[in-house]
Amino acid sequence: MTTLEDYLEKNADRIDRVIHRYFGDVHGDLFRASAHLLLAGGKRLRPAVVILAADAVRKGSSDDLIPAALALELTHNFTLIHDDIMDGDVARRGVPTVHTVWDEPTAILAGDVLYAKAFEFICLSEASEAARIRAVQMLARTCTDICDGQSMDMAFEKRDDVLEVEYLEMVSKKTGVLYGASAAIGGILAGASPVQADALYQFGVNSGIAFQIQDDLIDLLASSETSGKDRASDIREGKQTLIAIRAREKGIDLAPYRRPLTGAEIDDLIAQLQDAGIVEEVRAVAVERARVAKQALSVLPDSEEKRLLGEIADFFVARGN
């Protein structure tokens, strides 16, 4: 029986080879900037979801859908480049962010290149024309939702009254819908029924919400070496994460931490949040979303791919622990 760890490693190697084929020897600052984060590695989780969803619907179908899997990775990387500019982050995946290596205008255009390439690659998948049209429509709608989610996230920084329901809507759009699209597009291109495609979308959205909540915890709790990002950047930037919302509800003022912080100051804040039970409460919300995600898979026939999809949802909330 294949373990999730082995599967993700083999899939990442497979996607990495495709990335290097298309982006490993590009010329010019713009295209090198576009390839910068792609070539920095990663677990390639969204392509893995595309491929597993396809094979859960029709075994072996993913062999024809590698371009679509790459398209979802390109979409993800375009959002990372733009997010790093807006957030002012200087590190990503253990390397300097694109706008710090080049400049902001080049980074913006580099993200745009990946955005455009994503649609090109999804059209290269071997599937029916109707399925490819549905997949392109879903990716376009997903990109709109991602932009809306990022806009909400930035607007929240100017508020200190963000509600949990608003946060969940924001992360659903900013992170959840791309996992939803990954799962649904994989299924659609493999010939999923409407019921199966919707279930895969719900799986992806809820597991993506769980992923983002856990990512917020990792931002606070993990070292920069582990996360590949600046430690506690969400706190310093005044991000309205579920951690911040629960802290406000319990009377913990995070405003004094909106500045450069020492390691000792971050450790002190973590201790306060843990003593108030906030870290465990937030983690419990992520675990519940992962449970809902796995429940959505019940419409699919039992298979190794279905099992691995469920394990991905669990992995999303176990990362960094």
Side-chain angles (χ1 to χ4, degrees):
M1 184 173 69
T2 303
T3 67
L4 179 62
E5 183 179 4
D6 285 344
Y7 181 87
L8 290 177
E9 184 176 345
K10 290 178 182 177
N11 182 74
D13 288 343
R14 184 184 191 185
I15 297 300
D16 283 347
R17 287 195 295 272
V18 177
I19 287 171
H20 279 274
R21 184 188 313 158
Y22 289 106
F23 297 93
D25 192 29
V26 292
H27 301 285
D29 279 349
L30 175 60
F31 295 101
R32 283 197 294 269
S34 298
H36 179 66
L37 290 183
L38 278 173
L39 298 173
K43 290 188 178 295
R44 314 303 185 194
L45 295 172
R46 291 152 195 84
V49 171
V50 175
I51 291 167
L52 283 171
D55 285 335
V57 169
R58 180 165 58 87
K59 185 78 171 181
S61 61
S62 67
D63 289 344
D64 296 327
L65 306 181
I66 298 304
L70 177 57
L72 272 297
E73 184 68 12
L74 297 180
T75 303
H76 174 51
N77 278 263
F78 121 69
T79 68
L80 296 182
I81 293 173
H82 287 183
D83 283 0
D84 287 340
I85 295 169
M86 288 180 268
D87 293 343
D89 286 338
V90 299
R92 170 79 69 174
R93 291 177 176 168
V95 300
T97 49
V98 175
H99 68 278
T100 59
V101 177
W102 286 272
D103 52 40
E104 288 191 8
T106 301
I108 292 169
L109 291 171
D112 293 346
V113 167
L114 296 182
Y115 170 81
K117 284 286 185 182
F119 289 93
E120 178 183 347
F121 276 101
I122 206 167
C123 291
L124 295 176
S125 296
E126 295 292 331
S128 71
E129 183 178 355
R132 280 184 284 137
I133 289 172
R134 287 176 63 198
V136 167
Q137 287 175 326
M138 176 165 282
L139 185 59
R141 186 171 68 247
T142 295
C143 289
T144 301
D145 283 341
I146 291 170
C147 292
D148 190 20
Q150 176 67 4
S151 177
M152 292 173 68
D153 192 19
M154 295 175 65
F156 287 175
E157 293 178 27
K158 301 179 179 70
R159 293 173 51 191
D160 58 7
D161 60 348
V162 176
L163 302 176
E164 185 167 326
V165 67
E166 293 179 290
Y167 166 84
L168 291 173
E169 180 187 1
M170 181 271 290
V171 296
S172 172
K173 290 181 174 181
K174 183 176 176 179
T175 303
V177 295
L178 190 54
Y179 278 111
S182 298
I185 285 171
I188 287 167
L189 293 174
S193 70
V195 171
Q196 289 175 325
D198 182 66
L200 285 166
Y201 187 77
Q202 294 305 320
F203 160 79
V205 170
N206 280 287
S207 60
I209 292 171
F211 180 97
Q212 184 58 58
I213 294 171
Q214 182 64 18
D215 218 43
D216 295 343
L217 287 167
I218 290 171
D219 178 88
L220 175 66
L221 301 174
S223 67
S224 296
E225 291 74 18
T226 300
S227 68
K229 297 171 62 181
D230 301 325
R231 189 179 177 209
S233 62
D234 289 346
I235 299 292
R236 289 185 284 101
E237 293 161 13
K239 294 279 189 182
Q240 291 298 300
T241 64
L242 191 54
I243 298 167
I245 292 167
R246 293 289 178 98
R248 186 184 71 240
E249 291 173 349
K250 295 198 174 188
I252 299 177
D253 184 10
L254 298 182
Y257 295 93
R258 294 184 184 181
R259 57 179 175 79
L261 300 170
T262 66
E265 288 173 323
I266 295 172
D267 291 339
D268 177 67
L269 175 58
I270 291 171
Q272 289 185 59
L273 296 172
Q274 288 175 329
D275 289 345
I278 292 167
V279 171
E280 287 308 310
E281 288 178 12
V282 170
R283 185 169 283 123
V285 175
V287 169
E288 173 60 15
R289 286 290 178 160
R291 185 195 67 79
V292 172
K294 290 184 291 182
Q295 192 174 37
L297 297 174
S298 61
V299 303
L300 297 174
D302 289 339
S303 65
E304 182 177 38
E305 289 76 21
K306 176 181 173 180
R307 173 183 64 81
L308 289 169
L309 281 173
E311 290 183 10
I312 279 181
D314 289 331
F315 167 70
F316 282 177
V317 296
R319 298 172 304 125
N321 291 343

